[in-house]
Amino acid sequence: MKDQVKIPLQETMENRNTPVIEIKNLYKSFGQNEVLKGVNLSVFQGEDLIILGRSGSGKSVTIKCIVGLIAADKGEIKVFGNDITHLNNTQLDAVRVRMGFMFQSGALYDSMSVEENLSFTLLHHTKNLSKTEVSNQINNALESVGLKEAIHKMPSELSGGMRKRIGLARALITQPEIILYDEPTSGLDTITAKEISELILAVQKEYKTTSIIITHDMACAKIAGNRILILKDGVINAQGSYEELEKSSDPWIRSFFI
C-alpha cells in the first residue's frame, strides 16, 4: 500500500465520466443479518444521487461505509480514486476532510453553541487557522443555510428544521467536494422538508458538490435528485430519473411513488 493518498488532477475531477465515488461488490453483515450483498454503484462529479429503499435495506449502512464509519466486510470503495478499505487512519482522514456528512439527527454537541459546534468540526480537520479565518468560515457556512442569526444559540434552542440547517452548515464548514446526507428531511413537516430539499439543491449549484442523499421522502428525491437508485435485498434493484422510475411497470418500484 502506498504511503500517500492519491489526489486526482483537477481536469480528472471535472470529467463527469469519471466516478468520484465507485463501489464494487460491497458486502456488510451484522451477525447473521446480511444487509449489503454485493452493492455496485458510481457517483459522478456534480451529481446529487438519491438512494431509496425500505427500512433496513442498507441505505445508511452504504454511506457510512463510504466515509469509513462502518468497515465493509468485502468489496471495493473508491473515493477520489482511493480504495478506502485499504487505507490506514491517517490516509482515511486525508480523504474524509474532502467529505461532509449530514447526520439524520443533526448530531450537534448539546453542550456547545452553534458557533462552537462549527468551530470544533473545522479545527478538527483544518489546522493552523487564524481566529479571523475560523470566524469567516463559520459565518459563510451559516449564511449558506440562512442562519447567521443562530450563531450563539444552543442546540436546545433550535427547532427541528434549524437543527437540520446547522447540521448542513457543519457538513459545509470544511468546504467539502462530497456531501453525504442521511435522511435530511426526516421528522420535519412538509413545508420545512421542502425548504431543506431546496437548500440541498442550492448547495449543489453554489458549491458544485457531489452528493449522496439517503431518503424516504419522495418530494426530496424529486426536488434534489439528478438520479435515483433503489436498494432491494442487499443490491441495487433499479436506477433512473424520478420520471423514469415513476413510470416503471414494476409494481414494487412504483410503490415508492404512490
Side-chain angles (χ1 to χ4, degrees), residues 191-240:
I191 294 174
T192 306
K194 183 181 178 184
E195 291 174 348
I196 295 296
S197 301
E198 290 173 342
L199 182 57
I200 291 171
L201 187 60
V203 164
Q204 178 204 29
K205 291 180 178 178
E206 180 176 356
Y207 293 94
K208 312 301 181 187
T209 54
T210 302
S211 304
I212 298 180
I213 304 162
I214 302 301
T215 188
H216 286 92
D217 182 353
M218 296 307 297
C220 176
K222 187 173 185 179
I223 291 169
N226 304 124
R227 183 163 58 99
I228 297 174
L229 304 182
I230 305 180
L231 269 172
K232 181 182 181 183
D233 298 329
V235 297
I236 301 299
N237 177 265
Q239 67 173 302

Side-chain angles (χ1 to χ4, degrees), residues 95-233:
V95 176
R96 280 175 172 161
V97 76
R98 301 171 68 185
M99 295 190 284
F101 196 105
M102 183 177 172
F103 292 90
Q104 182 175 344
S105 64
L108 301 176
Y109 296 105
D110 290 334
S111 61
M112 295 182 180
S113 68
V114 167
E115 182 178 26
E116 290 167 334
N117 265 281
L118 298 184
S119 176
F120 179 84
T121 301
L122 179 60
L123 293 175
H124 177 73
H125 291 290
T126 311
K127 311 299 181 185
N128 303 318
L129 290 176
S130 68
K131 288 184 179 180
T132 299
E133 289 171 324
V134 171
S135 179
N136 286 342
Q137 288 191 228
I138 289 172
N139 285 326
N140 288 340
L142 289 175
E143 187 173 8
S144 293
V145 301
L147 279 181
K148 284 188 72 174
E149 73 280 3
I151 188 168
H152 298 304
K153 290 183 179 293
M154 301 299 290
S156 60
E157 300 177 273
L158 305 175
S159 67
M162 292 173 73
R163 290 177 71 95
K164 295 282 190 179
R165 287 176 179 268
I166 298 302
L168 178 52
R170 188 173 62 178
L172 285 170
I173 195 69
T174 58
Q175 301 175 344
E177 296 160 64
I178 292 171
I179 302 180
L180 306 175
Y181 298 88
D182 191 4
E183 299 286 1
T185 62
S186 66
L188 301 178
D189 62 82
T190 303
I191 294 174
T192 306
K194 183 181 178 184
E195 291 174 348
I196 295 296
S197 301
E198 290 173 342
L199 182 57
I200 291 171
L201 187 60
V203 164
Q204 178 204 29
K205 291 180 178 178
E206 180 176 356
Y207 293 94
K208 312 301 181 187
T209 54
T210 302
S211 304
I212 298 180
I213 304 162
I214 302 301
T215 188
H216 286 92
D217 182 353
M218 296 307 297
C220 176
K222 187 173 185 179
I223 291 169
N226 304 124
R227 183 163 58 99
I228 297 174
L229 304 182
I230 305 180
L231 269 172
K232 181 182 181 183
D233 298 329

Side-chain angles (χ1 to χ4, degrees), residues 5 7 80 88-99:
V5 172
I7 305 298
F80 305 120
N88 60 36
N89 288 336
T90 300
Q91 294 169 327
L92 183 57
D93 282 343
V95 176
R96 280 175 172 161
V97 76
R98 301 171 68 185
M99 295 190 284

Side-chain angles (χ1 to χ4, degrees), residues 56-97:
S57 62
K59 303 183 301 298
S60 293
V61 172
T62 300
I63 60 170
K64 287 177 180 178
C65 285
I66 291 171
V67 79
L69 292 175
I70 294 176
D73 294 336
K74 187 170 64 173
E76 185 179 88
I77 305 171
K78 285 188 175 181
V79 182
F80 305 120
N82 304 280
D83 186 351
I84 69 161
T85 65
H86 294 150
L87 301 183
N88 60 36
N89 288 336
T90 300
Q91 294 169 327
L92 183 57
D93 282 343
V95 176
R96 280 175 172 161
V97 76

